[in-house]
Amino acid sequence: MAASRCLLLLLLPGLVTALHSPPGCKIRITSKGLDLVKQEGLRFVEQELQNMTMSDLHGKEGQFHYNITQVKVMDLKLASSDLHFQPQQHLVFNISNASISLRFRRQLLYWFFYDIGSINASADGVHIHTVLQLAKDEAGRLKISNMTCNASIARMHAGFSGTLRKVYEFLSTFIVTGMRFLLSQQICPSLEHASLVLLNSLLDTVPVRNYVDEHIGIDYSLLRDPAVSTDTLDLDFKGMFFPRAREDQELENHAVEPVIKETERMVYVAFSEYFFDSAMHSYFQAGVLAIELQGEKVPKDLEVLLRATFFGTIFMQSPAVDAPLKLVLQVSAPPRCIIKPTGTSVSVSAFLNISLVPPGRPAVQLSSMAMETKLSAKVFLQGKALRVQLDLRRFRIYSKQSALESLALFSLQAPLKTLLQLTIMPIINERTKKGVQIPLPEGMDFTKEVVTNHAGFLTVGADLHFSKGLREVIEKYRPAPTTNAYPSSWPAEPTVDPHQL
């Protein structure tokens, strides 16, 4: 028993870590951001309700028989609406005191009188209460996992015309009651389809695991279900890059977990040092953190200085005096990112091999020197792309052979730094120019971005902007219909008895 307890105590820290892995990327949506989503979402809900398809209505009362077909929503007015966060329920959407105008075709039989035509009806005092449950699906993508809905209609009125108008108005109770029942029963299924099918197709556009370039990819899978308060919704993403040649490779996260406290902007995105470290580690694993310069690609001034510095060695290799120079710069270990309140920097350790390359003969190595550099990093957001601009801040070289050679290399310090600034840094920044996409749905972008550094992580506060409407994106990804429209012929639908309504 004692041994079992000891084993449990040893395993407990690992179990806690597994249950709460720190995110490399974190997104917070605030109530201000939700207000913008509500405006765009309300237009989408209006369009969905206007496109409701309702079944036909048949009934009879004594000698009065009626058949209602081709029901269409002509107008919709949503007087009051509200979308807010609610802990444990995630998103609550309310519509109050709305009105819906309908038009449908009538077929009426009263004793020996038969009449057809159209009827205009209006539903007033429409109240809709919906709750959307948000969760992480098996792929690690945010989804609407469940929806509860309640709809009610306070009043409904139908207007009749024609020779039997008085008779219709007397018997309209049966028609109006049936139409009120059908309309109230159709609202929630329409919204359920809009949420669980159409809005989820929009969430499918959020990148979860995709390629950044030909060398690396990124994993944006959610680590856990969203955390919801009365004012915020927080999403914890893995935020880990991986080399495409080893897609199953995992880099353990030991970085500080990002903490977002602000709520003033619509959205906040936080990135830990792990986010950037995993990118550089993946590039290192992919073997692309190396640059080779040979012959004419070596700056002329630097070539003259190098030949003067290594004159004795070159002279000893007299047949190779006029051979072209080759410089190979290669990172020796994965670079490390350091984020402080004062700024972001990247530490890089590398080695530089300088050789002569005589035509048709083996290369002659002149020197192999170690390099330690520190780069300042400017992180910024543009649209949905996170980009990094690097600049050389500190640079030091030394010989791996002897202190005496390190002293001889001192004169190369400035020219090699210039080489890095003018030749190497533009190549690196060109690679980072494209950036990496932040996990937002298609059609939604950031604006007015402000970057703030903290100890171990940085945050980007921004407002949201819809570059495409929800309808435009959803129509692009709308699933193919799987059911036929409701039939409209007289005997197609079962009878609805007004007494049961």
Side-chain angles (χ1 to χ4, degrees):
M1 181 66 71
S4 300
R5 290 178 180 177
C6 291
L7 180 61
L8 181 60
L9 290 174
L10 289 173
L11 293 176
L12 189 58
L15 292 173
V16 173
T17 302
L19 290 174
H20 189 82
S21 301
C25 172
K26 190 168 190 171
I27 291 183
R28 163 170 288 184
I29 300 174
T30 68
S31 295
K32 292 183 179 180
L34 199 61
D35 288 340
L36 179 67
V37 174
K38 185 191 80 170
Q39 296 172 19
E40 186 65 27
L42 196 58
R43 285 191 288 268
F44 171 67
V45 168
E46 288 178 346
Q47 293 166 343
E48 284 301 304
L49 292 180
Q50 286 176 342
N51 293 328
M52 281 190 300
T53 301
M54 286 182 283
S55 58
D56 298 343
L57 175 67
H58 315 289
K60 66 178 181 177
E61 180 64 22
Q63 298 300 318
F64 179 61
H65 300 256
Y66 59 88
N67 184 43
I68 302 300
T69 60
Q70 301 177 16
V71 184
K72 295 182 180 179
V73 176
M74 305 305 296
D75 189 29
L76 180 68
K77 291 183 174 61
L78 305 182
S80 177
S81 63
D82 175 61
L83 178 65
H84 63 271
F85 297 119
Q86 185 167 322
Q88 306 304 322
Q89 294 184 320
H90 303 148
L91 285 179
V92 177
F93 182 50
N94 290 318
I95 295 176
S96 302
N97 202 28
S99 62
I100 303 175
S101 297
L102 304 170
R103 173 172 289 181
F104 45 87
R105 180 177 175 81
R106 71 175 187 262
Q107 292 175 290
L108 305 177
L109 177 64
Y110 185 62
W111 291 96
F112 302 106
F113 297 97
Y114 177 71
D115 186 43
I116 61 174
S118 61
I119 300 176
N120 294 323
S122 62
D124 299 317
V126 179
H127 296 271
I128 306 171
H129 176 77
T130 59
V131 177
L132 303 179
Q133 299 278 351
L134 300 178
K136 174 181 77 74
D137 69 3
E138 293 181 358
R141 178 178 274 111
L142 179 67
K143 282 297 181 72
I144 301 172
S145 60
N146 191 26
M147 173 187 170
T148 58
C149 174
N150 291 298
S152 63
I153 300 173
R155 300 171 302 279
M156 191 156 187
H157 172 75
F160 296 88
S161 60
T163 56
L164 299 178
R165 180 170 61 87
K166 293 295 183 181
V167 176
Y168 299 156
E169 289 177 353
F170 175 72
L171 299 171
S172 65
T173 301
F174 307 105
I175 299 177
V176 170
T177 302
M179 286 305 304
R180 179 179 174 185
F181 173 80
L182 286 180
L183 180 58
S184 62
Q185 291 298 304
Q186 189 59 38
I187 290 174
C188 285
S190 295
L191 293 181
E192 183 175 352
H193 178 265
S195 301
L196 299 181
V197 178
L198 301 184
L199 288 182
N200 274 336
S201 70
L202 175 69
L203 293 176
D204 282 338
T205 66
V206 176
V208 172
R209 188 177 177 90
N210 62 326
Y211 295 140
V212 176
D213 54 29
E214 64 271 25
H215 304 295
I216 68 171
I218 187 168
D219 188 338
Y220 272 132
S221 58
L222 281 171
L223 295 175
R224 55 193 63 90
D225 289 339
V228 182
S229 71
T230 54
D231 299 315
T232 60
L233 182 148
D234 289 342
L235 301 167
D236 289 348
F237 296 93
K238 193 171 188 178
M240 185 198 76
F241 292 83
F242 56 87
R244 291 181 60 170
R246 306 174 185 176
E247 293 195 15
D248 57 345
Q249 177 176 289
E250 291 281 338
L251 182 64
E252 195 169 348
N253 187 353
H254 298 291
V256 174
E257 180 172 348
V259 178
I260 305 175
K261 298 181 179 179
E262 300 87 352
T263 58
E264 290 77 17
R265 306 296 294 274
M266 292 184 181
V267 64
Y268 291 89
V269 189
F271 304 94
S272 75
E273 293 174 343
Y274 172 80
F275 180 86
F276 301 100
D277 283 346
S278 67
M280 294 182 289
H281 187 273
S282 297
Y283 276 123
F284 180 79
Q285 291 287 322
V288 297
L289 299 184
I291 297 176
E292 181 179 306
L293 301 176
Q294 182 174 330
E296 295 181 355
K297 292 184 179 181
V298 179
K300 196 64 180 178
D301 294 343
L302 179 62
E303 181 182 2
V304 172
L305 183 60
L306 288 173
R307 288 183 181 275
T309 302
F310 299 105
F311 179 77
T313 304
I314 295 174
F315 186 77
M316 294 298 294
Q317 305 288 338
S318 55
V321 168
D322 296 327
L325 283 174
K326 182 174 75 171
L327 279 63
V328 177
L329 178 63
Q330 185 168 349
V331 173
S332 57
R336 293 297 306 275
C337 175
I338 302 170
I339 303 176
K340 297 181 179 180
T342 54
T344 303
S345 62
V346 178
S347 297
V348 184
S349 297
F351 60 83
L352 176 65
N353 289 335
I354 304 174
S355 307
L356 288 172
V357 189
R361 297 183 58 185
V364 179
Q365 182 170 304
L366 300 178
S367 179
S368 179
M369 61 187 75
M371 300 174 55
E372 292 181 356
T373 62
K374 181 166 282 190
L375 311 176
S376 61
K378 179 184 178 183
V379 181
F380 59 98
L381 206 58
Q382 192 169 22
K384 272 189 296 194
L386 182 72
R387 299 179 178 178
V388 179
Q389 182 79 22
L390 297 171
D391 188 29
L392 183 61
R393 197 166 79 187
R394 294 179 187 173
F395 174 78
R396 185 173 75 92
I397 59 172
Y398 57 92
S399 172
K400 297 194 294 184
Q401 277 77 33
S402 67
L404 183 62
E405 188 176 9
S406 295
L407 185 62
L409 294 175
F410 185 76
S411 60
L412 293 176
Q413 187 94 6
L416 285 176
K417 184 176 182 179
T418 302
L419 170 69
L420 289 174
Q421 289 175 323
L422 299 181
T423 306
I424 308 301
M425 294 308 300
I427 296 175
I428 296 175
N429 283 323
E430 184 64 27
R431 290 182 178 179
T432 62
K433 183 178 180 180
K434 181 182 177 182
V436 60
Q437 185 178 352
I438 304 303
L440 276 185
E442 183 178 335
M444 188 179 292
D445 293 323
F446 296 107
T447 62
K448 303 177 183 177
E449 307 90 348
V450 176
V451 179
T452 305
N453 279 49
H454 305 272
F457 66 95
L458 59 85
T459 60
V460 182
D463 289 338
L464 291 172
H465 166 69
F466 280 95
S467 57
K468 297 179 182 178
L470 285 178
R471 172 63 54 185
E472 180 182 354
V473 178
I474 287 173
E475 287 297 332
K476 180 179 178 181
Y477 297 99
R478 178 186 284 270
T482 57
T483 58
N484 297 324
Y486 290 110
S488 57
S489 59
W490 179 288
E493 295 290 335
T495 300
V496 177
D497 188 349
H499 292 297
Q500 298 177 0
L501 305 180

mmCIF file of all heavy atoms in Angstrom, residues 241-273:
data_model
loop_
_atom_site.group_PDB
_atom_site.id
_atom_site.type_symbol
_atom_site.label_atom_id
_atom_site.label_comp_id
_atom_site.label_asym_id
_atom_site.label_seq_id
_atom_site.Cartn_x
_atom_site.Cartn_y
_atom_site.Cartn_z
ATOM 1 N N PHE A 241 5.080 24.626 -33.895
ATOM 2 C CA PHE A 241 5.551 24.341 -35.245
ATOM 3 C C PHE A 241 6.202 22.961 -35.277
ATOM 4 O O PHE A 241 6.662 22.464 -34.253
ATOM 5 C CB PHE A 241 6.561 25.397 -35.694
ATOM 6 C CG PHE A 241 5.959 26.769 -35.889
ATOM 7 C CD1 PHE A 241 5.767 27.616 -34.813
ATOM 8 C CD2 PHE A 241 5.597 27.207 -37.151
ATOM 9 C CE1 PHE A 241 5.215 28.881 -34.984
ATOM 10 C CE2 PHE A 241 5.046 28.468 -37.345
ATOM 11 C CZ PHE A 241 4.858 29.304 -36.253
ATOM 12 N N PHE A 242 6.244 22.379 -36.478
ATOM 13 C CA PHE A 242 6.858 21.061 -36.629
ATOM 14 C C PHE A 242 7.508 20.979 -38.009
ATOM 15 O O PHE A 242 7.030 21.600 -38.974
ATOM 16 C CB PHE A 242 5.819 19.944 -36.475
ATOM 17 C CG PHE A 242 4.651 20.058 -37.423
ATOM 18 C CD1 PHE A 242 4.706 19.508 -38.701
ATOM 19 C CD2 PHE A 242 3.497 20.726 -37.041
ATOM 20 C CE1 PHE A 242 3.644 19.617 -39.574
ATOM 21 C CE2 PHE A 242 2.422 20.851 -37.914
ATOM 22 C CZ PHE A 242 2.495 20.292 -39.185
ATOM 23 N N PRO A 243 8.614 20.226 -38.135
ATOM 24 C CA PRO A 243 9.216 20.026 -39.456
ATOM 25 C C PRO A 243 8.368 19.079 -40.286
ATOM 26 O O PRO A 243 7.863 18.078 -39.778
ATOM 27 C CB PRO A 243 10.589 19.423 -39.136
ATOM 28 C CG PRO A 243 10.428 18.806 -37.792
ATOM 29 C CD PRO A 243 9.398 19.603 -37.052
ATOM 30 N N ARG A 244 8.185 19.383 -41.541
ATOM 31 C CA ARG A 244 7.319 18.563 -42.386
ATOM 32 C C ARG A 244 7.874 17.155 -42.581
ATOM 33 O O ARG A 244 7.107 16.218 -42.821
ATOM 34 C CB ARG A 244 7.108 19.245 -43.735
ATOM 35 C CG ARG A 244 6.278 20.507 -43.632
ATOM 36 C CD ARG A 244 6.041 21.165 -44.965
ATOM 37 N NE ARG A 244 5.344 20.291 -45.897
ATOM 38 C CZ ARG A 244 4.847 20.702 -47.060
ATOM 39 N NH1 ARG A 244 4.968 21.971 -47.411
ATOM 40 N NH2 ARG A 244 4.240 19.858 -47.857
ATOM 41 N N ALA A 245 9.178 17.020 -42.446
ATOM 42 C CA ALA A 245 9.776 15.688 -42.589
ATOM 43 C C ALA A 245 9.532 14.817 -41.359
ATOM 44 O O ALA A 245 9.670 13.592 -41.422
ATOM 45 C CB ALA A 245 11.276 15.811 -42.838
ATOM 46 N N ARG A 246 9.150 15.456 -40.232
ATOM 47 C CA ARG A 246 8.885 14.719 -38.992
ATOM 48 C C ARG A 246 7.620 15.299 -38.351
ATOM 49 O O ARG A 246 7.668 15.934 -37.303
ATOM 50 C CB ARG A 246 10.060 14.836 -38.019
ATOM 51 C CG ARG A 246 11.401 14.415 -38.623
ATOM 52 C CD ARG A 246 12.526 14.684 -37.653
ATOM 53 N NE ARG A 246 13.835 14.399 -38.226
ATOM 54 C CZ ARG A 246 14.990 14.625 -37.612
ATOM 55 N NH1 ARG A 246 14.980 15.130 -36.387
ATOM 56 N NH2 ARG A 246 16.133 14.358 -38.199
ATOM 57 N N GLU A 247 6.503 15.071 -38.991
ATOM 58 C CA GLU A 247 5.263 15.734 -38.563
ATOM 59 C C GLU A 247 4.784 15.267 -37.205
ATOM 60 O O GLU A 247 4.009 15.965 -36.543
ATOM 61 C CB GLU A 247 4.172 15.516 -39.614
ATOM 62 C CG GLU A 247 4.456 16.212 -40.928
ATOM 63 C CD GLU A 247 3.225 16.294 -41.801
ATOM 64 O OE1 GLU A 247 2.113 16.070 -41.284
ATOM 65 O OE2 GLU A 247 3.376 16.577 -43.002
ATOM 66 N N ASP A 248 5.201 14.081 -36.758
ATOM 67 C CA ASP A 248 4.760 13.580 -35.464
ATOM 68 C C ASP A 248 5.686 14.028 -34.334
ATOM 69 O O ASP A 248 5.491 13.630 -33.182
ATOM 70 C CB ASP A 248 4.667 12.057 -35.483
ATOM 71 C CG ASP A 248 5.988 11.394 -35.863
ATOM 72 O OD1 ASP A 248 6.878 12.105 -36.380
ATOM 73 O OD2 ASP A 248 6.128 10.179 -35.653
ATOM 74 N N GLN A 249 6.662 14.839 -34.633
ATOM 75 C CA GLN A 249 7.610 15.276 -33.603
ATOM 76 C C GLN A 249 6.949 16.241 -32.633
ATOM 77 O O GLN A 249 6.217 17.141 -33.021
ATOM 78 C CB GLN A 249 8.818 15.953 -34.259
ATOM 79 C CG GLN A 249 9.831 16.502 -33.263
ATOM 80 C CD GLN A 249 11.053 17.065 -33.966
ATOM 81 O OE1 GLN A 249 11.859 16.317 -34.503
ATOM 82 N NE2 GLN A 249 11.183 18.372 -33.984
ATOM 83 N N GLU A 250 7.174 16.039 -31.354
ATOM 84 C CA GLU A 250 6.624 16.889 -30.304
ATOM 85 C C GLU A 250 7.762 17.595 -29.581
ATOM 86 O O GLU A 250 8.759 16.971 -29.216
ATOM 87 C CB GLU A 250 5.824 16.054 -29.299
ATOM 88 C CG GLU A 250 4.534 15.485 -29.855
ATOM 89 C CD GLU A 250 3.410 16.511 -29.906
ATOM 90 O OE1 GLU A 250 3.487 17.520 -29.151
ATOM 91 O OE2 GLU A 250 2.470 16.314 -30.688
ATOM 92 N N LEU A 251 7.610 18.888 -29.398
ATOM 93 C CA LEU A 251 8.576 19.665 -28.629
ATOM 94 C C LEU A 251 7.914 20.049 -27.307
ATOM 95 O O LEU A 251 6.877 20.718 -27.287
ATOM 96 C CB LEU A 251 8.998 20.923 -29.391
ATOM 97 C CG LEU A 251 10.039 21.806 -28.710
ATOM 98 C CD1 LEU A 251 11.361 21.058 -28.555
ATOM 99 C CD2 LEU A 251 10.266 23.091 -29.497
ATOM 100 N N GLU A 252 8.502 19.603 -26.209
ATOM 101 C CA GLU A 252 7.893 19.842 -24.898
ATOM 102 C C GLU A 252 7.914 21.328 -24.566
ATOM 103 O O GLU A 252 8.889 22.031 -24.839
ATOM 104 C CB GLU A 252 8.656 19.053 -23.829
ATOM 105 C CG GLU A 252 7.895 18.941 -22.511
ATOM 106 C CD GLU A 252 8.531 17.943 -21.566
ATOM 107 O OE1 GLU A 252 9.411 17.175 -22.014
ATOM 108 O OE2 GLU A 252 8.132 17.922 -20.385
ATOM 109 N N ASN A 253 6.824 21.785 -23.989
ATOM 110 C CA ASN A 253 6.666 23.203 -23.688
ATOM 111 C C ASN A 253 7.050 23.485 -22.226
ATOM 112 O O ASN A 253 6.352 23.069 -21.301
ATOM 113 C CB ASN A 253 5.212 23.626 -23.943
ATOM 114 C CG ASN A 253 5.001 25.126 -23.809
ATOM 115 O OD1 ASN A 253 5.897 25.863 -23.401
ATOM 116 N ND2 ASN A 253 3.821 25.589 -24.169
ATOM 117 N N HIS A 254 8.154 24.209 -22.049
ATOM 118 C CA HIS A 254 8.590 24.617 -20.712
ATOM 119 C C HIS A 254 8.494 26.127 -20.527
ATOM 120 O O HIS A 254 8.993 26.663 -19.541
ATOM 121 C CB HIS A 254 10.036 24.163 -20.472
ATOM 122 C CG HIS A 254 10.223 22.682 -20.521
ATOM 123 N ND1 HIS A 254 9.722 21.835 -19.549
ATOM 124 C CD2 HIS A 254 10.840 21.881 -21.436
ATOM 125 C CE1 HIS A 254 10.038 20.580 -19.850
ATOM 126 N NE2 HIS A 254 10.707 20.580 -20.994
ATOM 127 N N ALA A 255 7.872 26.804 -21.469
ATOM 128 C CA ALA A 255 7.814 28.265 -21.424
ATOM 129 C C ALA A 255 6.735 28.742 -20.452
ATOM 130 O O ALA A 255 5.881 27.977 -19.997
ATOM 131 C CB ALA A 255 7.549 28.823 -22.816
ATOM 132 N N VAL A 256 6.779 30.030 -20.166
ATOM 133 C CA VAL A 256 5.773 30.656 -19.306
ATOM 134 C C VAL A 256 4.429 30.667 -20.026
ATOM 135 O O VAL A 256 4.353 30.961 -21.224
ATOM 136 C CB VAL A 256 6.200 32.099 -18.959
ATOM 137 C CG1 VAL A 256 5.095 32.816 -18.193
ATOM 138 C CG2 VAL A 256 7.490 32.081 -18.146
ATOM 139 N N GLU A 257 3.358 30.313 -19.326
ATOM 140 C CA GLU A 257 2.027 30.338 -19.932
ATOM 141 C C GLU A 257 1.548 31.781 -20.090
ATOM 142 O O GLU A 257 1.595 32.570 -19.145
ATOM 143 C CB GLU A 257 1.029 29.564 -19.067
ATOM 144 C CG GLU A 257 -0.375 29.555 -19.645
ATOM 145 C CD GLU A 257 -1.314 28.638 -18.885
ATOM 146 O OE1 GLU A 257 -0.822 27.841 -18.046
ATOM 147 O OE2 GLU A 257 -2.530 28.709 -19.133
ATOM 148 N N PRO A 258 1.085 32.161 -21.285
ATOM 149 C CA PRO A 258 0.571 33.520 -21.474
ATOM 150 C C PRO A 258 -0.647 33.787 -20.594
ATOM 151 O O PRO A 258 -1.507 32.917 -20.427
ATOM 152 C CB PRO A 258 0.187 33.554 -22.956
ATOM 153 C CG PRO A 258 0.911 32.414 -23.582
ATOM 154 C CD PRO A 258 1.034 31.378 -22.517
ATOM 155 N N VAL A 259 -0.688 34.972 -20.027
ATOM 156 C CA VAL A 259 -1.807 35.384 -19.186
ATOM 157 C C VAL A 259 -2.366 36.690 -19.751
ATOM 158 O O VAL A 259 -1.654 37.689 -19.841
ATOM 159 C CB VAL A 259 -1.381 35.581 -17.722
ATOM 160 C CG1 VAL A 259 -2.566 36.071 -16.891
ATOM 161 C CG2 VAL A 259 -0.814 34.300 -17.138
ATOM 162 N N ILE A 260 -3.630 36.667 -20.151
ATOM 163 C CA ILE A 260 -4.274 37.863 -20.697
ATOM 164 C C ILE A 260 -5.212 38.426 -19.645
ATOM 165 O O ILE A 260 -6.134 37.743 -19.197
ATOM 166 C CB ILE A 260 -5.046 37.538 -21.991
ATOM 167 C CG1 ILE A 260 -4.125 36.876 -23.020
ATOM 168 C CG2 ILE A 260 -5.662 38.803 -22.581
ATOM 169 C CD1 ILE A 260 -4.835 36.421 -24.271
ATOM 170 N N LYS A 261 -4.967 39.665 -19.264
ATOM 171 C CA LYS A 261 -5.807 40.312 -18.257
ATOM 172 C C LYS A 261 -6.673 41.422 -18.858
ATOM 173 O O LYS A 261 -7.656 41.831 -18.250
ATOM 174 C CB LYS A 261 -4.933 40.890 -17.144
ATOM 175 C CG LYS A 261 -4.134 39.840 -16.378
ATOM 176 C CD LYS A 261 -3.301 40.474 -15.282
ATOM 177 C CE LYS A 261 -2.511 39.412 -14.504
ATOM 178 N NZ LYS A 261 -1.675 40.028 -13.427
ATOM 179 N N GLU A 262 -6.283 41.906 -20.024
ATOM 180 C CA GLU A 262 -6.976 43.053 -20.604
ATOM 181 C C GLU A 262 -8.318 42.655 -21.227
ATOM 182 O O GLU A 262 -8.506 41.517 -21.666
ATOM 183 C CB GLU A 262 -6.103 43.715 -21.683
ATOM 184 C CG GLU A 262 -4.774 44.240 -21.182
ATOM 185 C CD GLU A 262 -3.683 43.185 -21.187
ATOM 186 O OE1 GLU A 262 -3.998 42.000 -21.444
ATOM 187 O OE2 GLU A 262 -2.520 43.547 -20.931
ATOM 188 N N THR A 263 -9.240 43.613 -21.271
ATOM 189 C CA THR A 263 -10.553 43.399 -21.897
ATOM 190 C C THR A 263 -11.001 44.610 -22.716
ATOM 191 O O THR A 263 -12.131 44.657 -23.170
ATOM 192 C CB THR A 263 -11.630 43.104 -20.826
ATOM 193 O OG1 THR A 263 -11.686 44.198 -19.900
ATOM 194 C CG2 THR A 263 -11.328 41.817 -20.072
ATOM 195 N N GLU A 264 -10.104 45.589 -22.918
ATOM 196 C CA GLU A 264 -10.513 46.840 -23.558
ATOM 197 C C GLU A 264 -10.707 46.685 -25.061
ATOM 198 O O GLU A 264 -11.564 47.352 -25.650
ATOM 199 C CB GLU A 264 -9.482 47.955 -23.298
ATOM 200 C CG GLU A 264 -9.428 48.447 -21.862
ATOM 201 C CD GLU A 264 -8.674 47.479 -20.959
ATOM 202 O OE1 GLU A 264 -7.932 46.618 -21.499
ATOM 203 O OE2 GLU A 264 -8.834 47.569 -19.720
ATOM 204 N N ARG A 265 -9.918 45.829 -25.715
ATOM 205 C CA ARG A 265 -10.018 45.655 -27.159
ATOM 206 C C ARG A 265 -10.960 44.498 -27.491
ATOM 207 O O ARG A 265 -11.374 43.730 -26.628
ATOM 208 C CB ARG A 265 -8.633 45.375 -27.761
ATOM 209 C CG ARG A 265 -7.576 46.417 -27.413
ATOM 210 C CD ARG A 265 -7.908 47.786 -27.976
ATOM 211 N NE ARG A 265 -7.868 47.784 -29.417
ATOM 212 C CZ ARG A 265 -6.758 47.973 -30.136
ATOM 213 N NH1 ARG A 265 -5.592 48.153 -29.518
ATOM 214 N NH2 ARG A 265 -6.798 47.971 -31.454
ATOM 215 N N MET A 266 -11.294 44.366 -28.771
ATOM 216 C CA MET A 266 -12.210 43.300 -29.182
ATOM 217 C C MET A 266 -11.593 41.917 -29.018
ATOM 218 O O MET A 266 -12.282 40.952 -28.676
ATOM 219 C CB MET A 266 -12.636 43.503 -30.635
ATOM 220 C CG MET A 266 -13.524 44.710 -30.872
ATOM 221 S SD MET A 266 -14.063 44.783 -32.597
ATOM 222 C CE MET A 266 -15.040 46.300 -32.566
ATOM 223 N N VAL A 267 -10.292 41.820 -29.304
ATOM 224 C CA VAL A 267 -9.628 40.519 -29.264
ATOM 225 C C VAL A 267 -8.183 40.708 -28.835
ATOM 226 O O VAL A 267 -7.568 41.745 -29.093
ATOM 227 C CB VAL A 267 -9.701 39.821 -30.655
ATOM 228 C CG1 VAL A 267 -8.950 40.618 -31.697
ATOM 229 C CG2 VAL A 267 -9.188 38.403 -30.587
ATOM 230 N N TYR A 268 -7.657 39.691 -28.144
ATOM 231 C CA TYR A 268 -6.252 39.660 -27.747
ATOM 232 C C TYR A 268 -5.677 38.307 -28.158
ATOM 233 O O TYR A 268 -6.316 37.264 -27.998
ATOM 234 C CB TYR A 268 -6.091 39.843 -26.240
ATOM 235 C CG TYR A 268 -6.440 41.226 -25.753
ATOM 236 C CD1 TYR A 268 -7.747 41.542 -25.385
ATOM 237 C CD2 TYR A 268 -5.473 42.234 -25.674
ATOM 238 C CE1 TYR A 268 -8.077 42.809 -24.944
ATOM 239 C CE2 TYR A 268 -5.791 43.497 -25.224
ATOM 240 C CZ TYR A 268 -7.096 43.784 -24.865
ATOM 241 O OH TYR A 268 -7.420 45.051 -24.435
ATOM 242 N N VAL A 269 -4.461 38.347 -28.709
ATOM 243 C CA VAL A 269 -3.748 37.124 -29.062
ATOM 244 C C VAL A 269 -2.415 37.142 -28.329
ATOM 245 O O VAL A 269 -1.684 38.140 -28.393
ATOM 246 C CB VAL A 269 -3.508 37.010 -30.576
ATOM 247 C CG1 VAL A 269 -2.960 35.635 -30.925
ATOM 248 C CG2 VAL A 269 -4.786 37.277 -31.350
ATOM 249 N N ALA A 270 -2.105 36.075 -27.603
ATOM 250 C CA ALA A 270 -0.860 35.999 -26.835
ATOM 251 C C ALA A 270 -0.003 34.860 -27.381
ATOM 252 O O ALA A 270 -0.513 33.798 -27.738
ATOM 253 C CB ALA A 270 -1.154 35.777 -25.354
ATOM 254 N N PHE A 271 1.314 35.102 -27.438
ATOM 255 C CA PHE A 271 2.271 34.113 -27.916
ATOM 256 C C PHE A 271 3.375 33.972 -26.877
ATOM 257 O O PHE A 271 3.967 34.964 -26.449
ATOM 258 C CB PHE A 271 2.888 34.535 -29.250
ATOM 259 C CG PHE A 271 1.882 34.818 -30.328
ATOM 260 C CD1 PHE A 271 1.427 36.106 -30.543
ATOM 261 C CD2 PHE A 271 1.384 33.797 -31.109
ATOM 262 C CE1 PHE A 271 0.504 36.383 -31.531
ATOM 263 C CE2 PHE A 271 0.452 34.052 -32.103
ATOM 264 C CZ PHE A 271 0.007 35.359 -32.315
ATOM 265 N N SER A 272 3.666 32.734 -26.487
ATOM 266 C CA SER A 272 4.745 32.497 -25.539
ATOM 267 C C SER A 272 6.062 32.305 -26.294
ATOM 268 O O SER A 272 6.094 32.198 -27.518
ATOM 269 C CB SER A 272 4.446 31.261 -24.683
ATOM 270 O OG SER A 272 4.644 30.074 -25.442
ATOM 271 N N GLU A 273 7.154 32.252 -25.549
ATOM 272 C CA GLU A 273 8.451 31.991 -26.162
ATOM 273 C C GLU A 273 8.458 30.638 -26.870
ATOM 274 O O GLU A 273 9.153 30.454 -27.876
ATOM 275 C CB GLU A 273 9.548 32.039 -25.092
ATOM 276 C CG GLU A 273 9.768 33.424 -24.503
ATOM 277 C CD GLU A 273 10.745 33.422 -23.349
ATOM 278 O OE1 GLU A 273 11.010 32.327 -22.795
ATOM 279 O OE2 GLU A 273 11.234 34.508 -22.979
#
